[in-house]
């Protein structure tokens, strides 16, 4: 069965860092573009950043530019989101997404809370 399992979320102080992981299984990971979305309370889910199947960065939201970095490790079937200089407005549930044409898979999400 297809699975995307996020981990690494938690509570962090403003200015701190977190590294999220998304472990993929049940599909051909190397075929898929991978991305991170986030959804804050009362707001729509938004695209944070995307990496292509070949490893090129295809999307990066202005709000996280210079602070967040997406990467993928094909050998481990894992996508990462390195988050630095975190701000309270980064607080959200972060979701991993995999896309190949019209086929899309979602993870269950991991909570990130930035607060002092």
């Amino acid at each position: 069965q297809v699975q995307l399992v996020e981990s690494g979320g938690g509570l962090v102080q403003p200015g701190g860092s977190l590294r999220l992981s998304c472990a993929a299984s049940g599909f051909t990971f190397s075929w898929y573009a991978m991305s991170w979305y986030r959804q804050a309370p009362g707001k729509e889910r938004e695209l944070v950043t995307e990496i292509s199947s070949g490893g090129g960065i295809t999307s990066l939201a202005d709000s996280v530019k210079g602070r967040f970095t997406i990467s993928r490790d094909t050998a481990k079937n894992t996508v990462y989101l390195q988050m630095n200089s975190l701000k309270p407005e980064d607080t959200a549930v972060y979701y991993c997404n995999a896309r190949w044409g019209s086929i899309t898979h979602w993870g269950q999400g991991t909570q990130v809370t930035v607060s002092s």
Side-chain angles (χ1 to χ4, degrees):
Q1 60 181 17
V2 171
Q3 283 193 298
L4 294 173
V5 182
E6 300 97 333
S7 62
L11 176 64
V12 64
Q13 294 184 344
S17 297
L18 283 175
R19 185 179 178 87
L20 305 184
S21 298
C22 172
S25 61
F27 64 97
T28 306
F29 177 79
S30 62
W31 293 359
Y32 283 70
M34 304 296 297
S35 60
W36 289 95
Y37 287 72
R38 67 185 182 185
Q39 187 167 25
K43 295 188 176 181
E44 296 294 313
R45 189 172 300 187
E46 65 172 345
L47 175 64
V48 177
T49 185
E50 183 183 67
I51 187 167
S52 74
S53 60
I57 308 304
T58 52
S59 184
L60 185 65
D62 288 341
S63 59
V64 305
K65 193 171 296 180
R67 301 187 298 121
F68 289 13
T69 304
I70 189 172
S71 61
R72 66 192 297 162
D73 187 331
T74 302
K76 296 181 179 179
N77 284 2
T78 300
V79 174
Y80 304 96
L81 183 65
Q82 179 65 49
M83 305 186 293
N84 299 323
S85 302
L86 283 160
K87 304 174 180 179
E89 50 262 48
D90 295 319
T91 295
V93 177
Y94 284 72
Y95 296 91
C96 181
N97 178 81
R99 185 180 295 276
W100 182 53
S102 62
I103 300 174
T104 301
H105 306 300
W106 290 95
Q108 84 289 347
T110 185
Q111 177 70 48
V112 172
T113 302
V114 184
S115 177
S116 59

